[in-house]
Amino acid sequence: MIEVHDLRKEYVEEDTPTRALNGVTFSVNKGDFISIMGPSGSGKSTLLHILSFLDRPTGGSYTFLGKSIDDMSDQELAKVRNKDMGFVFQSFNLLSRLSVYDNVEIPLLYSDVLPAKRRTFVEEAVRSVGLEDKLHTEAGKLSGGQKQRVAIARALVTDPNIIFADEPTGNLDSKSGMQIMEILEGLHEKGRTVILVTHETQTAEFADRIIRMKDGMLESDQTIAVDRVRHHLK
């Protein structure tokens, strides 16, 4: 699904270059559940932004579903991002005065889905995160855990190939965070590809593979045998 080779990213501020990524190489297969870990400044968020088409690299290559991003215009990247990628952010990124329904529907407004089918897609996505009873509740009136569930429903509504989650439990208490990770785990078990950025070891261990970043480089790439039962033990 994803191939990156010698990926580099450099930012320049006041004529001073800062290299955020320094030659990162790895691949992602369909159905993978990957956690990206690393200290602040390690390059993990920069890597996620490039993988999710929110930024472009300054060097190296990135192939998504067999196509190099170098051959794609910004408009093409935006179209692929909306169709094939779902996003879950630490800060939820919901519109607080809109209902759950309206927040989840937003990606469909930029898609080819006909208006007549949108309601079915929205209701199905909301049902998948257990919030069907909140469908017409304003997002601002929900708890943090409920808001993140809405964000996951919004990420799922276009039936994406891959879900990117950036510190999805960072603003939640431990119980709500565990519930969110169990939802992501369930999506993975149904065949979804999930790439997660986190600094929390307990969260990272839901994945089948952990990539550790340091100083803009890939420090380790470890496939782990996960006994998933332990996640549900109190």
Side-chain angles (χ1 to χ4, degrees):
M1 177 174 283
I2 287 176
E3 293 276 353
V4 297
H5 180 74
D6 194 28
L7 205 65
R8 299 183 300 279
K9 180 64 179 182
E10 192 173 86
Y11 298 99
V12 179
E13 292 185 15
E14 297 181 356
D15 298 325
T16 302
T18 299
R19 183 161 287 185
L21 293 179
N22 191 17
V24 174
T25 299
F26 68 96
S27 61
V28 178
N29 296 316
K30 183 175 176 59
D32 278 353
F33 189 168
I34 298 175
S35 289
I36 302 175
M37 299 190 74
S40 179
S42 62
K44 62 183 184 298
S45 291
T46 299
L47 177 60
L48 187 76
H49 289 165
I50 290 174
L51 294 178
S52 59
F53 294 177
L54 297 175
D55 200 357
R56 285 184 182 263
T58 49
S61 63
Y62 174 16
T63 302
F64 181 76
L65 294 177
K67 188 170 183 178
S68 171
I69 67 168
D70 290 338
D71 299 329
M72 302 169 71
S73 66
D74 289 346
Q75 185 176 6
E76 287 175 316
L77 289 180
K79 186 174 182 179
V80 172
R81 184 168 60 239
N82 190 63
K83 177 180 181 293
D84 290 316
M85 299 176 178
F87 300 90
V88 183
F89 301 97
Q90 178 178 350
S91 57
F92 319 132
N93 287 6
L94 302 178
L95 297 175
S96 61
R97 294 188 178 182
L98 293 186
S99 68
V100 168
Y101 181 97
D102 290 337
N103 271 281
V104 174
E105 185 187 30
I106 288 172
L108 296 178
L109 302 179
Y110 302 94
S111 73
D112 297 329
V113 177
L114 297 175
K117 293 185 177 181
R118 289 178 191 163
R119 175 168 291 277
T120 299
F121 285 17
V122 171
E123 290 179 348
E124 183 177 325
V126 173
R127 190 179 304 113
S128 73
V129 297
L131 285 180
E132 55 267 39
D133 61 326
K134 302 290 186 182
L135 193 65
H136 300 294
T137 301
E138 286 186 10
K141 296 180 179 178
L142 302 176
S143 68
Q146 290 172 332
K147 288 177 181 177
Q148 197 60 292
R149 289 192 198 186
V150 175
I152 292 173
R154 183 183 57 193
L156 291 173
V157 76
T158 58
D159 192 26
N161 276 303
I162 188 167
I163 295 173
F164 293 101
D166 190 359
E167 299 281 6
T169 62
N171 283 340
L172 305 177
D173 60 61
S174 58
K175 181 179 179 181
S176 297
M178 186 66 66
Q179 291 172 343
I180 292 304
M181 290 311 303
E182 288 171 353
I183 290 173
L184 291 175
E185 179 184 56
L187 294 172
H188 166 246
E189 290 173 348
K190 292 177 181 177
R192 300 275 183 179
T193 305
V194 181
I195 297 182
L196 165 77
V197 164
T198 182
H199 66 277
E200 301 169 344
T201 301
Q202 185 180 18
T203 298
E205 288 179 346
F206 272 85
D208 295 325
R209 182 174 158 200
I210 298 178
I211 291 176
R212 297 184 187 275
M213 301 286 295
K214 184 177 180 180
D215 298 329
M217 295 181 285
L218 194 153
E219 184 179 41
S220 66
D221 185 348
Q222 179 185 15
T223 299
I224 56 177
V226 180
D227 176 7
R228 296 193 182 277
V229 174
R230 74 174 185 268
H231 297 309
H232 308 290
L233 297 177
K234 301 300 181 183

